[in-house]
Amino acid sequence: MWSRRRFLESVGTLPVVGGLIAAAAPSAAAAARTPRRDYFRELGVRPFINAAGTYTAMTASLMPAEVMDAINYASKHYVMLDELHDRVGERIAALVRAEAAMVTSGAASALTLGTAAVLTGADRQKVAALPDLTTSAAPMKSEVIIQKAHRFGYDRAVRNCGVRLVEVETPADLERAVTDKTAMMLFYNNNNKEGRIQDEEFARLGRKHSIPTLNDAAADVPPVDNLWKYTAMGFDLVAFSGGKGIRGPQSAGLLVGRKDLIAAARLNSSPNGNAIGRGMKVNKEELVGMLAALERFVKIDHAAEEREFQRRAEEIRRSAASVTGVKAEIFVPEVANHVPHVRLTWDAASGRRPAPAIVRALQDGEPSIAIRSEGDALVVGVWMMQAGEEKIVARRLRQELDKHA
């Protein structure tokens, strides 16, 4: 049932080098008789049913067979890394309808590399100087404009480049904040409706002042057309997570946008040695796996997938609603994780345990199930479940909701 097992089982499969170890390899029949190792059991790590969503701490999504096939293929060959980056980037750019693209080590890496690209351009002296913005022959710009409502934990990835974030609230504030120190404008897509400058106007203001704009849309696919929506809107760079809805390697991400900026981001990243992104390495397996994941994602029947998510959500909603005093509703978040979820609430005076206690009970139970609480509500995400797990989640949720404090 735990499909990552296929990946773990592949760890011990080594390619034959020059035929020298072929004779020592076990026969196919002997290999078939060898028990597969249960690494998680050995390590004392307990797998769970993911009824929460694509959260990094919960190891995000499971990679489909096509992605694992690509990873296993790449693991058996040597290639020049920059050449593979070039070719994969070209293919991905075509898929997402952008001038250029690159695979990064997660969306946070895409934010750092995108910021570095804006600061250094193709100047290798500046690349070597980051995050010191003052020591190169030509000092770099040092400020990034962001809406106050768009401050978020991951803006640290931008600040890693040595810049200062300048907070604004209104379009007028933004225009007053533009100076000769302004390097970039940063937009957090998840908070689009919370800020007073919405996405299209933000991109327009960037173009008006010739300031590059970077949109962090990490968790914002599906829908699939978000992959090209924001560059078409005028954003110069857009960052996506590769291991969430796209279901590529969890440690991969995408940076897409202007060709000159993607080229500069590449200069700031691995395998270049004296660069701020040297530690943000993307290996050949992740590059090919990310390409396979994206190719799969853009061609799948998203309408059929949506119907399946709705069916799972309805099964859980109906089961929970059968418990006296529980209100169950299906909702779709407007931006991030834009797929059906189930929200469960009840009267605090009912004697039922609070939502966090039920989260813990499900996690500690058998099988272990991860859901999340938002205030007094339970929220169930159905899209990272495997086939049939919605029935298990529906039954266990009903059992726990039937209990009282």
Side-chain angles (χ1 to χ4, degrees), residues 22 40 46 85 111 163 185 191 198 236 245 306 396:
F40 289 152
R46 193 180 184 206
H85 258 296
L111 294 180
V163 297
M185 293 163 47
N191 287 14
Q198 308 245 309
D236 298 284
E306 173 77 8
R396 290 283 293 115

Side-chain angles (χ1 to χ4, degrees), residues 81-103:
L81 193 57
D82 271 330
E83 181 183 12
L84 185 61
H85 258 296
D86 289 343
R87 300 297 177 264
V88 168
E90 290 166 4
R91 185 75 61 86
I92 288 176
L95 290 169
V96 302
R97 309 176 193 179
E99 284 185 17
M102 67 179 291
V103 178

Side-chain angles (χ1 to χ4, degrees), residues 297-354:
F297 184 72
V298 298
K299 73 180 181 183
I300 61 175
D301 186 339
H302 290 278
E305 188 175 62
E306 173 77 8
R307 290 192 295 271
E308 170 60 14
F309 294 157
Q310 286 283 357
R311 185 195 65 75
R312 295 178 190 177
E314 175 55 26
E315 176 150 350
I316 292 168
R317 186 209 65 77
R318 186 172 60 249
S319 177
S322 70
V323 179
T324 302
V326 173
K327 178 183 177 182
E329 59 179 345
I330 296 174
F331 72 101
V332 177
E334 188 172 359
V335 186
N337 302 301
H338 186 73
V339 290
H341 290 66
V342 183
R343 182 185 290 114
L344 310 175
T345 55
W346 53 89
D347 190 336
S350 67
R352 186 167 282 109
R353 293 169 298 167

Side-chain angles (χ1 to χ4, degrees), residues 162-182:
V163 297
R164 181 175 75 90
L165 297 186
V166 177
E167 295 180 0
V168 300
E169 294 189 71
T170 68
D173 290 343
L174 190 153
E175 300 216 52
R176 284 192 296 269
V178 173
T179 71
D180 58 2
K181 295 181 181 179
T182 305

Side-chain angles (χ1 to χ4, degrees), residues 14 69 75 174 227 231 260 271 275 296 342 384:
L14 296 174
D69 286 344
S75 74
L174 190 153
L227 287 169
T231 47
D260 63 319
R296 171 192 172 275
V342 183
M384 290 297 116

Side-chain angles (χ1 to χ4, degrees), residues 9 33 92 98 100 112 127 142 165 169 200 210 227 230 232 249 270 309 314 320 352 363 395:
E9 290 170 352
R33 291 193 301 269
I92 288 176
T112 298
V127 170
S142 59
L165 297 186
E169 294 189 71
E200 290 189 69
S210 299
L227 287 169
Y230 301 111
S270 179
F309 294 157
E314 175 55 26
R352 186 167 282 109
Q363 184 173 348
R395 172 172 51 81

